[in-house]
Structures are given as structure tokens and as C-alpha cells.
Amino acid sequence: MTKKTIYFNGKIATNSTPYFAQAMTVANGKVIATGASSDLLRVPDSSTEVVDLGGHTVIPGLNDSHLHVIRGGLHYNLELRWDGVPSLADALAMLKEQAMRTPAPQWVRVVGGWTEFQFTERRMPTLEDINEAAPDTPVFVLHLYDRAMLNAAALRAVGYTKDTPDPFGGEIQRDKRGVPTGMLIARPNAGILYSTLAKGPVLGYEDQLISTRHFMRELNRLGITSAIDAGGGFQNYPDDYKVVEELHKRGQMTLRIAYNLFTQRPNHEIEDFSKWTSSASLYQGDHTLRLNGAGEMLVFSAADFEDFLEPRPDLNTSLETQLEGVVRLLAEKCWPFRLHATYNESIERFLNVFEKVNRDVPFDGLHWFFDHAETISDRNIERTVALGGGIAVQHRMAFQGEYFVNRYGADAAKRTPPIRRMLQMGANVGAGTDATRVASFNPYVSLYWLVSGRTVGGLRLYDDQNRMTREEALRLYTKGSSWFSTEEDVKGSLAPGQLADFAVLSSDYFSVPEEEIKGLQSVLTVVGGEVVYAVQEFSDLAPPALPVALDWAPTAHYGGYHTPALPVAALLHRGCSSHHVSGAPQGSGRLGESLWGLGCDCFAF
């Protein structure tokens, strides 16, 4: 007999008709009915489990259309996250504590997801701050795509001296004697930042598995049930996908991932995609883990980095020839593709190539799309729609809006990106974050940005014409994103026949004050009908505790996204039965099973 679960006495946002329901019946991993509690509970069944939602709001599982989740999982347990930390004093205190507990030769890594505008001090840390907090342990602090700060110990570890040349597109800042200060600057190529990060020590394969599971649990805590992975520099296929494939094989995935393949070798991109389209099958896998196509990097000559502290880069004259070769191959193979595109000037050139290829090899039904598109024009939205494309938008402006306004003005910032016009003109639009190295992975910060039009620092970027209603923003993060993995038929709503992926929220997303949207989280997250995260009144439904992290790991002490309402030491293990595990090997430096280290030499993303 099929086991059924009825969730009742809730406020269930179905993304369907009617929009709200009180109850929902789930069986075989799918929604089979929604309606009034009295109707769904009318016929008793001994095999049916019932869960009282206690009036909580339920939303379809959030689906991040642009998340570097595979890379982020490999790194998660070794990163000190400043995401959401309210003051620089708090951030530096965390850094100091973490430096004291981090054993040699490991580093302390703060790798994205924060901006100085979130701090009450409204300033960046200085090199003096970082060296004072950590005089002996190597420290690497990444800020967006624009800079990284290394303390003296990290400079020694990476071996940068007065004789080290500046790489192409990057600068090693030096003092009057020519000695590196510890500041690395993207001018505008972020390669120097990520190649330096890659010099940090790494740990083993089993620890990568644990770290990835912890990252998925953190995303589940925030109500995320799906993500479309945008690849990353030096994230080679298939070698660097073994961890997520092994978790899938073991049945330990708590997040659905559709992944795109990111080219790895400048001037050899066509070779990468020729190999991959010949050796791998589009959509291979299932709805838990599947190959989604190509990108977000198709050719390196098309990389227009969005460092708004620097002028817009002029892309290489070889762009059109190189991009045409790759896009023609992908269209012929019927492979969807995605392309990082910040500036309208770049998008203009990309679309010229796409239209040329489309005349020979029609894009009919091909789910291709731009990522980001902060300054896309109406005319280029129209051209994108005519080619059947989409635009995946992220809240990068919530972290960089102040920089954009300073360079281009407040009027120009009002449509960065012009989401309302995209929707009015019929574009497929999905929402996400571009985490983990630029914006935070917290989807509620992104939803707050969509609804309020404000940065995390409170600057109002958009007027009413480019702000979303709460229902519209949620739709972009659910049904909207499902188009980008060609899964509209199974994801994005809580309607009969759709996958039973949903989150029960801590407060009512539809009625809390705008500022409180940023503080939402899930108290019960379900993927395919299975509970993957549960706390508070739903604790009895919680899944087993995860293998724990190294006792010195930042996540073991501070968790992921900063949550001041909970004890710091409990952040990582919400819903777990225990943090400490007895019987850890003596001298191992572990609390139980371990995590792994970091070392992806990412070119740009």
C-alpha cells in the first residue's frame, strides 16, 4: 500500500490555482492533492501520516537558478562565512578566534558573500586589521570580484615577493620598496584572486563528501530544494564531479542539482565542448542530479567581469569567431547553454553571434539563456525573446549597488537588471544568487532585494516600476527557475503531479515587514516527500545527524549564514541530535568523521 502524508492546517502557497490551500497530500514523492484541511482529512487511512503545520506558511521549494553549489560544497566546511554578520568588529573577532584554532598549515578563508555596506561601521577591513587579528596563521579574505586581502603569513605561504610579476589582468599591490602589501586587485580579471586561493592546502576525498553534505543541509535550512550549478574555473568534468556523483549514488543528496559544464582552457574551448558533447549525454541522470548543458563560460574572450569599481572591460576582437564556433557546435548537438553577460555592450555582440548561428541552425526549443544581464537594453531583451532565450537574474546588485551608483549614477541603477521589462516583454526569467564568492547563498536576501529594491546596506536602487510583488518574486525563485533546467513539468508549484519539494517557513513571507524577509528560514524542508531538515515543533521528523566537521572548522563554530537568534555553536547542526561525537580518534583533531580542504583554482566565477 502506498504511504501517504497529509500536511494540514497551513497556509500553502501553491503557485497554482487557487493560490493558497490549507492542506496537501503527498505520495510517491509527488503532490497528489491540495485543498481544505477538512476535505483532505475526511477519509481516515491507517497508512496515512498526518502532519499539523500549525498555521505556518508553506512555499514551493526554492530553486536557485545560478549557484556554484558543487564547488561551494567542496569548500564549505573550511570557509569562515561573513554572510549576514552585522558589524566589522564581529567579523574581525570571528577571524581572530578562528586563526587561533586553525592548525598549521591550514588557512583561514573568508571567501565572498559579504560587503562592507552590511557592517555598522560601513567600511572594509584594512590589512592592518587582518594582520592584528591573525599575526601567524595565513588569512585570505576575498571581497566580490575586486580584491583579496592576505596577511603577512599568507604572503609567505604563497611566496609572493618583490620579484613576483603581476599576472595579466591583475595587480599585486606593493609598497614604495616594491614589496607586496597583501592586497591583490582584479584589473579587472579575477584570476589573480582565485589562483592565489588555490594555493591553500587541501584535504581528502571523504572529507569532501562530508563538506558537501553540510552545505546542502545549510541550503535546506534556508528552504532551498533545487539549484542549477553554473560550473566554475578549473572545475573539470568529470573529475571534479565525483563527489556529488558519489553522494547521488549513495542516496545522500538532499538538494536537486542540474549542472552546466564550464570550459576550462582559453583558446581551446571548442575542444572542451566537442569532447563533452561526444562523451556525455544531455540530461543524463535524473531529477536529483542531471547534466543541464554548457556554460556559464563558453569562451574566455566573452568574460565581461562585473567589477563596478573598474571601468567596463572591452572584450577581445576574437570573441565573435570563437563564440560562433562553440555556439554552432552546441546548437547542432541540441545542447542548451548559458552565458555570463553583465553589460549591454557585451550582450549586443553575443546576440549578433547567436542570430547568425540561428539562421543556419535554428534554436527552436533550445533552453539557452544569459546570466546576470544587469544593463541589458529593451532592444536586446526583445532579441533574446525572439530567439527563445531566457535571463537568469541574481542579487549581485544588492552587494555592489553602491559601487554601480557611484560610477554610473542613480538613474542608470534603476534598471540593473530591468526585471519588470523582461517580464513585460515575455522573457523567461529565473532568480538566484551567484553564490558563493560574490553574493550570499541566502535566498531571502535575494527575495528581499527583489521586493524592496534595496541593497543589503539599505540603498534604494529601484523605484516601483522595477520592484516585484512578493508573489512575483517567489514565482521567479520557483516556477521561473524551473525553465532553466527544462523541468517546468515537474518543479515550481505545489500542484498535483509536481514533485513534493517544499519549505515550511519560520514566519509568513507574505505579511512580515520587508526588512524581516532577510531573516526568514525553514523549520521543515521536504525534497521528494522526504524530510531533509526539521527543527522546532517539527524536530521529531528531523533526518539523522550528519557526520561532523573537524573540531577547528569554521562551520563547526559559526555555521553558514549568520543567524543571531541561535547559539553560535549550534548553527551548523540545527536539526541534528548532537554536535559532538564520542569516540573520535585521539589526536585526530576531529569530532568524528572529517571534512576536507579547499583548492579550486577558479578563473573567474
Side-chain angles (χ1 to χ4, degrees):
M1 183 178 295
T2 300
K3 180 182 177 181
K4 294 190 296 185
T5 303
I6 299 174
Y7 296 87
F8 71 99
N9 187 26
K11 180 181 178 180
I12 301 172
T14 66
N15 263 350
S16 185
T17 303
Y19 191 83
F20 288 112
Q22 291 180 323
M24 173 173 58
T25 302
V26 171
N28 295 323
K30 294 185 177 182
V31 176
I32 62 172
T34 61
S37 296
S38 57
D39 291 339
L40 269 58
L41 292 171
R42 182 176 300 164
V43 181
D45 186 332
S46 60
S47 67
T48 299
E49 180 182 5
V50 293
V51 177
D52 186 346
L53 295 169
H56 281 280
T57 294
V58 181
I59 61 172
L62 297 174
N63 183 355
D64 192 320
S65 64
H66 187 129
L67 180 65
H68 296 275
V69 63
I70 294 174
R71 181 183 67 196
L74 300 180
H75 300 186
Y76 176 69
N77 275 343
L78 286 189
E79 293 181 353
L80 177 65
R81 303 300 307 184
W82 282 355
D83 304 41
V85 174
S87 75
L88 179 58
D90 291 338
L92 290 172
M94 294 165 63
L95 179 62
K96 182 175 183 178
E97 293 169 359
Q98 187 56 43
M100 293 175 64
R101 69 170 65 94
T102 299
Q106 286 290 343
W107 299 3
V108 180
R109 301 165 171 89
V110 179
V111 187
W114 64 280
T115 171
E116 70 268 34
F117 302 109
Q118 78 193 44
F119 296 143
T120 55
E121 298 91 340
R122 311 289 287 189
R123 72 171 181 88
M124 299 274 289
T126 64
L127 289 169
E128 290 75 16
D129 290 333
I130 293 170
N131 278 289
E132 181 180 352
D136 302 313
T137 304
V139 171
F140 178 100
V141 177
L142 177 69
H143 181 256
L144 306 175
Y145 280 153
D146 63 76
R147 76 193 76 175
M149 290 166 276
L150 282 66
N151 68 349
L155 276 175
R156 291 191 295 270
V158 300
Y160 291 167
T161 69
K162 64 189 305 182
D163 299 319
T164 304
D166 287 346
F168 174 76
E171 176 187 336
I172 302 172
Q173 187 187 75
R174 304 168 195 272
D175 64 18
K176 293 179 179 178
R177 300 170 297 156
V179 176
T181 64
M183 182 75 75
L184 308 180
I185 303 173
R187 288 269 160 83
N189 188 322
I192 185 176
L193 312 181
Y194 301 141
S195 61
T196 303
L197 176 59
K199 296 177 183 292
V202 299
L203 298 178
Y205 174 72
E206 287 297 325
D207 296 330
Q208 298 175 31
L209 295 167
I210 295 169
S211 182
T212 299
R213 293 182 69 189
H214 283 201
F215 188 39
M216 290 192 294
R217 179 68 62 87
E218 172 69 356
L219 297 175
N220 298 152
R221 180 181 75 86
L222 296 169
I224 301 173
T225 60
S226 290
I228 307 176
D229 185 88
F234 295 87
Q235 188 173 320
N236 286 284
Y237 180 83
D239 292 348
D240 295 322
Y241 292 73
K242 289 180 179 177
V243 165
V244 72
E245 288 173 349
E246 178 62 22
L247 292 175
H248 182 236
K249 180 181 176 181
R250 295 183 185 183
Q252 294 176 338
M253 297 278 290
T254 62
L255 183 79
R256 302 185 190 277
I257 300 175
Y259 58 90
N260 287 68
L261 301 184
F262 183 115
T263 188
Q264 299 300 311
R265 297 179 297 158
N267 300 315
H268 295 275
E269 297 94 340
I270 191 73
E271 297 170 31
D272 280 340
F273 289 115
S274 293
K275 177 180 66 177
W276 291 333
T277 55
S278 298
S279 62
S281 299
L282 182 64
Y283 306 134
Q284 65 186 27
D286 55 29
H287 288 299
T288 301
L289 182 68
R290 71 200 304 243
L291 173 59
N292 194 52
E296 68 177 294
M297 183 77 84
L298 297 179
V299 293
F300 281 84
S301 56
D304 63 341
F305 303 98
E306 91 300 348
D307 180 358
F308 300 130
L309 288 171
E310 297 287 330
R312 177 181 62 82
D314 290 321
L315 300 183
N316 197 289
T317 56
S318 65
L319 183 163
E320 281 80 2
T321 299
Q322 293 180 334
L323 185 60
E324 180 183 343
V326 169
V327 171
R328 188 173 295 275
L329 169 70
L330 296 171
E332 289 172 346
K333 298 285 188 176
C334 297
W335 267 46
F337 59 87
R338 64 193 305 166
L339 181 60
H340 169 99
T342 299
Y343 299 99
N344 188 63
E345 292 83 352
S346 305
I347 293 169
E348 182 85 20
R349 295 175 65 182
F350 302 158
L351 285 168
N352 291 341
V353 172
F354 297 169
E355 289 169 344
K356 180 180 179 181
V357 173
N358 180 67
R359 287 193 288 269
D360 300 327
V361 188
F363 285 7
D364 294 345
L366 197 67
H367 283 220
W368 74 271
F369 56 99
F370 287 125
D371 285 298
H372 318 310
E374 275 84 1
T375 68
I376 191 171
S377 67
D378 282 7
R379 171 58 183 147
N380 284 334
I381 296 171
E382 183 179 37
R383 295 170 72 192
T384 300
V385 172
L387 286 172
I391 304 171
V393 299
Q394 300 79 36
H395 68 318
R396 304 191 309 178
M397 288 295 292
F399 289 78
Q400 301 184 79
E402 288 85 354
Y403 298 147
F404 188 97
V405 169
N406 187 58
R407 179 170 292 278
Y408 298 108
D411 284 344
K414 288 181 179 179
R415 43 176 290 144
T416 52
I419 301 173
R420 176 66 63 199
R421 288 296 291 148
M422 295 174 185
L423 295 172
Q424 289 171 344
M425 298 177 76
N428 296 294
V429 183
T433 61
D434 196 15
T436 59
R437 293 183 175 175
V438 178
S440 173
F441 51 77
N442 188 336
Y444 303 106
V445 177
S446 185
L447 288 164
Y448 165 80
W449 164 74
L450 289 166
V451 169
S452 71
R454 295 182 183 274
T455 68
V456 295
L459 176 66
R460 178 74 171 269
L461 294 175
Y462 315 136
D463 54 26
D464 291 345
Q465 282 70 37
N466 201 35
R467 294 169 58 196
M468 302 293 106
T469 67
R470 300 190 193 204
E471 291 82 0
E472 288 173 328
L474 180 62
R475 185 175 293 270
L476 293 179
Y477 233 108
T478 51
K479 292 190 75 170
S481 292
S482 68
W483 183 90
F484 294 80
S485 58
T486 319
E487 294 178 292
E488 313 98 297
D489 59 331
V490 296
K491 283 185 185 178
S493 69
L494 296 176
Q498 292 269 298
L499 293 170
D501 299 350
F502 57 91
V504 181
L505 299 184
S506 53
S507 296
D508 182 19
Y509 163 74
F510 298 97
S511 65
V512 296
E514 280 184 354
E515 286 296 318
E516 293 182 19
I517 293 174
K518 291 182 290 186
L520 293 172
Q521 53 188 286
S522 179
V523 291
L524 175 67
T525 305
V526 174
V527 177
E530 299 294 326
V531 175
V532 296
Y533 177 81
V535 292
Q536 297 180 19
E537 65 262 51
F538 303 104
S539 294
D540 289 346
L541 302 175
L546 296 178
V548 296
L550 298 165
D551 55 3
W552 58 266
T555 49
H557 299 271
Y558 307 110
Y561 191 87
H562 182 68
T563 309
L566 294 175
V568 169
L571 291 176
L572 175 62
H573 299 281
R574 302 173 199 84
C576 297
S577 60
S578 173
H579 174 66
H580 292 272
V581 174
S582 62
Q586 291 295 316
S588 67
R590 304 169 186 267
L591 293 175
E593 295 183 60
S594 66
L595 64 101
W596 82 290
L598 172 62
C600 176
D601 184 6
C602 177
F603 181 85
F605 300 92

